[in-house]
């Protein structure tokens, strides 16, 4: 049984691409199952309901097992016992991470907006059937990762994939679907400051130290206005407890592509020079991968 596993703190692409890649492996006659490394977020719940698909079960470890990775290739984002698993394949759309393998593997890593865009093309290449639920999963993941095509990570291949998938998914009004998806994506009601920071937190090894950068996608920054101090306090706590050199949180208004950056840690002073009295606004910044993290890497270096 091959386990198909997305990254820690799974976003919609990580869950959807695990489910979709599992079906691709099954179409090849292999036994596979999708697993998740964490809670299913509200947007993903919305997608699974629309697709009529069950959430993957939680990953109980991968030691001694064969696995496929979807939506990452960094050891830090894999299961804790990933070193003892056999990685058979990777489908991803991020920079190449630090995984290594003992055997040759199948790796499909494209510079596109979403892992599901790569999977869509694999389905076509292998003449595997794309069912309505699979089309809904792929289409939704692409729209989520590209923020309804608005992200600079979005490519023509992502748009072409959605154009075909929307027909199979039988979604009559794409704009209305995108609106519903983005409402689910930016729904943070009732989450505690710690849950907000944790929501989409990624660890980046950097100059032999650990750095974490989270992101909350919002319809307006006012949604977190009352939590600012508590969010900063949570970043500070993480730095102390986990010996992080830097912890940041991107608060991104996806309607204006404006990000406010909260940041703490030993290296925080490097950002101060770019901030206005501690208020760090990043104009035209929607994507952590293409805009936020590259800028941070440059400033922290
Ligand atoms: Mn992704």
């Amino acid at each position: 049984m091959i386990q198909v596993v997305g990254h820690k703190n799974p976003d919609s692409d990580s869950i959807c691409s695990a489910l979709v890649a599992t079906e691709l492996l099954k179409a090849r006659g292999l036994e596979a199952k999708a697993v998740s490394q964490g809670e299913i977020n509200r947007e993903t719940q919305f997608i699974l309901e629309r697709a009529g698909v069950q959430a993957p079960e939680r990953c109980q470890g991968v030691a001694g097992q064969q696995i496929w990775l979807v939506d990452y290739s960094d050891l830090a984002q894999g299961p804790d016992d990933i070193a003892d698993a056999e990685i058979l394949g990777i489908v991803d759309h991020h920079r190449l991470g630090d995984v290594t393998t003992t055997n040759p593997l199948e790796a499909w890593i494209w510079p596109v907006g979403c892992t599901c865009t790569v999977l869509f093309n694999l389905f076509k290449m292998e003449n595997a059937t794309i069912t309505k639920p699979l089309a809904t999963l792929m289409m939704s993941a692409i729209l989520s990762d590209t923020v309804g095509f608005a992200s600079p990570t979005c490519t023509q291949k992502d748009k072409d994939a959605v154009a075909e998938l929307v027909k199979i998914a039988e979604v009559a009004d794409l704009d209305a679907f995108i609106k519903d998806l983005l409402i689910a994506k930016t729904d943070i009601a009732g989450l505690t400051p710690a849950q907000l920071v944790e929501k989409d937190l990624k660890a980046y090894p950097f100059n032999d130290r650990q750095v974490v950068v989270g992101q909350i996608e919002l319809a307006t920054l006012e949604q977190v206005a009352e939590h600012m101090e508590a969010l900063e306090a949570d970043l500070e706590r993480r730095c102390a407890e986990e010996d992080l050199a830097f912890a940041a949180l991107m608060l991104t208004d996806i309607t204006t592509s404006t990000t406010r950056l909260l940041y703490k840690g030993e290296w925080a002073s490097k950002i101060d020079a770019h901030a206005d009295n501690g208020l760090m606004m990043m104009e035209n910044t929607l994507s952590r991968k293409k805009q936020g993290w590259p800028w941070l890497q440059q400033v922290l270096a």
Side-chain angles (χ1 to χ4, degrees):
M1 175 72 73
I2 299 166
Q3 293 198 53
V4 183
V5 59
H7 55 74
K8 282 178 175 151
N9 238 336
D11 59 2
S12 293
D13 186 25
S14 221
I15 297 296
C16 294
S17 55
L19 291 163
V20 173
T22 296
E23 294 308 313
L24 182 71
L25 294 175
K26 286 183 182 169
R28 292 176 178 183
L30 298 165
E31 276 188 54
K33 72 168 178 183
V35 291
S36 76
Q37 293 195 77
E39 298 270 310
I40 306 297
N41 70 34
R42 290 171 190 182
E43 180 199 47
T44 311
Q45 282 171 19
F46 166 84
I47 294 168
L48 292 173
E49 272 167 36
R50 287 293 289 253
V53 173
Q54 292 271 323
E57 58 185 84
R58 283 290 274 268
C59 180
Q60 304 294 341
V62 295
Q65 307 206 35
Q66 297 187 315
I67 60 172
W68 274 67
L69 309 183
V70 289
D71 206 30
Y72 68 107
S73 63
D74 306 277
L75 292 170
Q77 292 184 37
D80 294 337
D81 56 357
I82 189 171
D84 301 316
E86 184 189 358
I87 301 170
L88 296 182
I90 302 172
V91 190
D92 191 20
H93 68 123
H94 295 88
R95 57 155 180 66
L96 183 62
D98 56 0
V99 298
T100 53
T101 61
T102 41
N103 299 317
L105 85 165
E106 189 178 333
W108 301 96
I109 305 173
W110 293 8
V112 292
C114 181
T115 299
C116 278
T117 300
V118 184
L119 284 166
F120 167 74
N121 283 277
L122 289 175
F123 265 80
K124 291 207 357 173
M125 209 173 78
E126 300 185 21
N127 276 319
T129 306
I130 299 175
T131 60
K132 186 176 168 183
L134 287 178
T136 306
L137 292 176
M138 286 192 262
M139 183 187 92
S140 303
I142 297 167
L143 292 170
S144 168
D145 260 14
T146 65
V147 196
F149 305 129
S151 171
T153 59
C154 185
T155 69
Q156 191 59 43
K157 283 193 171 69
D158 301 301
K159 293 177 186 167
D160 292 346
V162 171
E164 286 193 47
L165 290 167
V166 73
K167 292 180 220 154
I168 306 168
E170 294 175 33
V171 171
D173 187 341
L174 183 61
D175 289 336
F177 184 86
I178 292 173
K179 194 172 167 228
D180 288 346
L181 186 74
L182 297 187
I183 288 171
K185 192 187 203 36
T186 57
D187 176 13
I188 57 161
L191 297 181
T192 66
Q195 286 172 324
L196 286 169
V197 172
E198 193 74 33
K199 193 169 182 278
D200 182 15
L201 192 67
K202 280 199 174 156
Y204 300 91
F206 193 75
N207 288 350
D208 296 323
R209 292 294 304 276
Q210 276 301 324
V211 166
V212 296
V213 183
Q215 184 174 32
I216 309 174
E217 290 162 307
L218 301 161
T220 163
L221 292 184
E222 282 166 34
Q223 283 174 275
V224 287
E226 58 178 324
H227 298 304
M228 289 301 180
E229 281 176 26
L231 291 171
E232 288 186 324
D234 190 78
L235 293 176
E236 206 149 31
R237 176 186 65 79
R238 278 168 207 273
C239 287
E241 287 178 5
E242 295 160 38
D243 190 32
L244 305 172
F246 185 74
L249 181 64
M250 294 173 65
L251 304 171
T252 302
D253 180 337
I254 63 173
T255 68
T256 60
S257 297
T258 304
T259 292
R260 177 169 175 190
L261 188 78
L262 303 183
Y263 57 97
K264 289 288 172 188
E266 273 170 61
W267 294 350
S269 55
K270 300 183 187 202
I271 308 294
D272 282 336
H274 301 270
D276 184 5
N277 271 326
L279 178 68
M280 181 66 222
M281 296 301 298
M282 304 164 88
E283 302 299 327
N284 195 23
T285 302
L286 187 62
S287 163
R288 172 174 48 191
K289 177 165 70 182
K290 278 242 169 164
Q291 297 162 323
W293 178 236
W295 183 80
L296 281 169
Q297 268 182 299
Q298 204 189 318
V299 176
L300 296 176

